[in-house]
Each structure stands twice: as structure tokens, then as C-alpha cells.
Amino acid sequence: MTTGSHQEPIPLLDLKAQYATLREEIAAAIERVVASQQFILGPEVEAFEQEVAAYSQCTYGIGVSSGTDALLVALMAIDLQPGDEIITTPYTFFATAGSIARLGGHPVFVDIDPITYNIDPAGIEAAITSRTRAIMPVHLFGQMADMEPIMGLAEYHGLYVIEDAAQAIGAEYRGRRAGSIGHMGCFSFFPSKNLGGFGDGGMVTTNDPKLAERIRLLRGHGAHPKYYHRIIGGNFRLDALQAAVLRVKLTYLDEWTAARQQNAERYRQLFSAAGANIGLPEDAGYGRHIYNQFVIRSERRDDLMAHLKAHQIGCEIYYPVPIHLQECFSRLGYEVGNFPASEDAAEETLAIPVYPELGEERQARIVDTIHTWI
Ligand SMILES: *Cc1c(COP(=O)(O)O)cnc(C)c1O
């Protein structure tokens, strides 16, 4: 096997490879919407809502404009008030905490389990106060948070659980799918998610008919019927064009997930065969991990990243600054050292390609390149 920087670049994610296999089906789906001239909500969105709800073992799905808006509308649905507290993880994409703060709520952080990178349930109880309204676990990188103790605490203290399932569509925890265990699940169809659209999109899932109705209202300025506004909502609608594209892609999702899992397994074999001493992601054993990202770990992460980039291998840091240390949250008064597991992860982790079309040859080259660096 040959390695070297003269070889073709390996991107972190190759959406062109995916699109090449779907071109005609997607063209037909888009043409269907264009021919109907029904661009806002309508039958494509309704069908997609039912399909994602069924896929996620939920009764209801409400299509929204992004994963961020899914989180926002879920918090609006529980009528979050200024000063209310939501318990979540500081090691996540910004939207999780940002949506809480946008409504005047206080994100209250609890450190992660350093093995799974998900919120550590052992720290939650101490963070609960009389102002706590909900717990917002994030199923990071495609593996679900430890939901059983989280649901137990929520039930005992009368709290909502809102799952940030943006990276976890189809992931399972003891046979139950992401978005079906808490009161609501929030999904993103940002292009880099496992089910990605041709732009922004999102979905809230729930089994609660009252919450479903409220989210549906909030998504369209709180109006029902049209122009009679019962509550104040916003424009959080999913486009019919996105729904049509996503419906095509949903039929391939299980195949893609299987390929990602196979790639993850192959990485483990290749790294172990090479005797490469690098931190690999650990499967908590809850069930289906969908590998939105394959995240490795090294104390010399920045150097490794430079090495991979020099060899044209795509990689990315998710996330370089934990949320409690973000400039915009300095008013919350957190400081370095408050959440050591999250801070260490932010300094040591690196996502490498795991997309379905990656293939053995490219994986071998990636492992070789990392092994050489070690
Ligand atoms: C992507 C993502 C979001 C936000 O989704 P958008 O569709 O980009 O708004 C929220 N939370 C997590 C954990 C995400 O990965």
C-alpha cells in the first residue's frame, strides 16, 4: 500500500458520492413538488412527518425549519419562562444552550461522561433546583445518552426531558429509538447529519398529543384557524422541497447507517492491527450507534490534525470550546476547571471520516497516516 500527500484528498464527508447514487430519484421528487407548486407544508411534509415519526418509534412528527428551531419550539412548547433553568451538557453544538438562552432561560451545565461524551446522569441531581424545568440530554456523535437514570430523575422531580437527537436519528437505547424516550425529540436535517437535506430542516417528535398540537401551532405563528392567533409562535416551517428530498434519502438511511457501523468496526480492526496507540470511540453497549462522527482522541490532537490536513485527509474538531467557556456565556460565571471532562474532550478529540461511501482503501490510508504520525 502506498501513502503520501500526492494522493486524492479524502474529505470528512463526501455528499457528492451520495448524491451520485440518488440523482434521478431526487430529480423526480423535486419535480413532483415543483409541478404541484405547493411549497409550504402540504402532503410532502405531512408524509415525511409520518415517516420520521414511525422511523423514530413516535406517534407524532412536526417538521420545522432546522434542528435549532426544533429545540427552540420544544422549549416554547413547555412555555419556558425567563429565569427557568434547563439542565444540559456543555460539550455539544451551540444550538442546545443557545435556544435555552434565547428564551431567557438559564442553561445549567452538568459535565459529560468522558467515555461516551454524553451528559453524566450522576451529576444531574445536584444541579436540580426549584427553577429547573427540563433536562436536555444530547445524543452526541450518534450514540444515545444514558436515558434510564435521566428519565428516573425527571419523573421524580416533575421535569420535562427534551432529547437533542440532531446527531442521532435511528440510534437506539435498549431497543428504543432516539426521540421516543423523552417528552420530545429534536432532529436536524442539516446536510452533514446522517439524514441531510438540501439546506436546513428539522423535526420535533413526541408521543404526547397536546405537545404535538402546541408545536404545530407554534410553527405557524400560533394561528388556528388561519389569522386567529391563539399563542405567539413564529415561522418555523419545513419546506416541501426539503421534505421531498429527505423522503427519498430516508429510504436509504438504514443502508448508510450499516455502512457507517461497518466503517467504525473496520477502523477498530485496522488501528489494532497497526498497533496504533490512539483513543478510539467506545460503544456504551446501549444498542444501535449511528456514527454521525467517528471521534478519536490524542493529547497531541492539534499536531495530529495538522498532520492529517497535510496529507489531505479531512478532519474536524467537535467542539473546540465547551459551551460554558464561550464568550457569549461569560455572564453565567463559569470558568476553566468547572467541567474538566468536557474541557479535556474539547482539547483532545478529532473526528475523522466515517461516511458510508468511504471504503476500505481510504480507511487503510487514514489509519496508515495516523500510525506514521504516532
Ligand atoms: C446540528 C445540531 C443542532 C442544530 O441543528 P441545525 O439544523 O444546524 O439548526 C443542534 N444540536 C446538535 C447536537 C447538533 O449537532
Side-chain angles (χ1 to χ4, degrees):
M1 188 167 320
T2 59
T3 56
S5 51
H6 61 280
Q7 286 176 308
E8 55 153 336
I10 304 176
L12 182 60
L13 173 66
D14 189 354
L15 287 172
K16 285 182 185 164
Q18 185 193 73
Y19 178 55
T21 67
L22 304 174
R23 215 182 185 96
E24 272 145 45
E25 262 185 284
I26 285 183
I30 290 175
E31 173 55 27
R32 201 167 63 223
V33 176
V34 173
S36 78
Q37 290 290 300
Q38 166 111 44
F39 296 114
I40 306 295
L41 300 179
E44 291 289 341
V45 172
E46 279 165 30
F48 181 57
E49 288 174 338
Q50 280 164 19
E51 286 157 11
V52 171
Y55 188 80
S56 303
Q57 301 174 344
C58 289
T59 318
Y60 307 99
I62 302 99
V64 295
S65 28
S66 69
T68 302
D69 287 342
L71 294 165
L72 192 69
V73 91
L75 290 167
M76 290 171 81
I78 66 164
D79 202 20
L80 189 79
Q81 294 298 312
D84 284 353
E85 295 173 0
I86 306 287
I87 294 172
T88 191
T89 159
Y91 189 58
T92 176
F93 179 60
F94 181 75
T96 319
S99 55
I100 298 166
R102 275 172 69 186
L103 296 172
H106 290 308
V108 173
F109 299 114
V110 167
D111 208 359
I112 55 167
D113 167 344
I115 305 296
T116 64
Y117 301 118
N118 285 324
I119 192 168
D120 184 352
I124 293 177
E125 183 123 55
I128 296 173
T129 74
S130 59
R131 302 291 323 246
T132 309
R133 295 288 315 284
I135 305 170
M136 213 177 217
V138 179
H139 308 313
L140 205 66
F141 304 144
Q143 174 165 250
M144 287 184 69
D146 192 1
M147 291 301 288
E148 218 163 79
I150 293 173
M151 293 311 294
L153 283 166
E155 202 168 318
Y156 184 79
H157 293 276
L159 307 174
Y160 282 103
V161 174
I162 300 170
E163 296 175 57
D164 183 339
Q167 299 183 11
I169 189 164
E172 289 178 9
Y173 179 87
R174 302 190 174 134
R176 299 172 70 186
R177 291 230 160 149
S180 72
I181 301 179
H183 299 86
M184 286 171 273
C186 300
F187 294 89
S188 164
F189 307 120
F190 184 78
S192 71
K193 311 296 181 177
N194 286 26
L195 180 62
F198 284 5
D200 284 307
M203 177 96 53
V204 183
T205 54
T206 183
N207 289 313
D208 182 331
K210 290 209 180 76
L211 283 172
E213 190 194 304
R214 211 172 140 77
I215 295 160
R216 217 162 253 134
L217 267 180
L218 286 164
R219 161 178 84 174
H221 287 297
H224 187 77
K226 211 172 172 182
Y227 305 124
Y228 290 80
H229 300 268
R230 289 162 43 183
I231 50 178
I232 301 171
N235 175 358
F236 302 122
R237 295 180 301 244
L238 178 66
D239 285 347
L241 277 169
Q242 294 304 337
V245 169
L246 289 161
R247 287 185 71 197
V248 172
K249 289 197 174 195
L250 181 60
T251 63
Y252 295 92
L253 186 56
D254 283 338
E255 225 171 276
W256 295 335
T257 296
R260 284 173 182 270
Q261 289 169 333
Q262 193 179 26
N263 290 343
E265 190 46 43
R266 196 184 287 130
Y267 267 137
R268 293 181 207 287
Q269 288 163 6
L270 289 170
F271 277 117
S272 138
N277 182 22
I278 193 100
L280 297 178
E282 287 192 42
D283 191 325
Y286 300 144
R288 200 166 187 239
H289 186 327
I290 65 154
Y291 289 99
N292 177 242
Q293 301 293 348
F294 189 89
V295 172
I296 61 173
R297 190 161 181 149
S298 164
E299 284 174 10
R300 295 185 293 138
R301 189 266 319 270
D302 291 346
D303 192 55
L304 171 58
M305 184 166 172
H307 179 78
L308 288 175
K309 294 237 149 124
H311 287 78
Q312 310 227 55
I313 292 170
C315 54
E316 190 72 69
I317 301 169
Y318 298 112
Y319 297 89
V321 181
I323 310 295
H324 67 287
L325 299 178
Q326 293 288 347
E327 186 182 341
C328 66
F329 283 139
S330 58
R331 62 182 168 82
L332 296 178
Y334 289 110
E335 46 191 64
V336 175
N338 285 156
F339 305 110
S342 299
E343 291 162 24
D344 288 352
E347 279 178 17
E348 297 177 359
T349 58
L350 188 66
I352 59 174
V354 73
Y355 61 88
E357 302 81 4
L358 183 59
E360 187 161 3
E361 221 169 285
R362 290 192 197 92
Q363 278 192 282
R365 197 177 119 207
I366 293 166
V367 171
D368 257 18
T369 309
I370 294 172
H371 187 225
T372 310
W373 169 81
I374 292 171

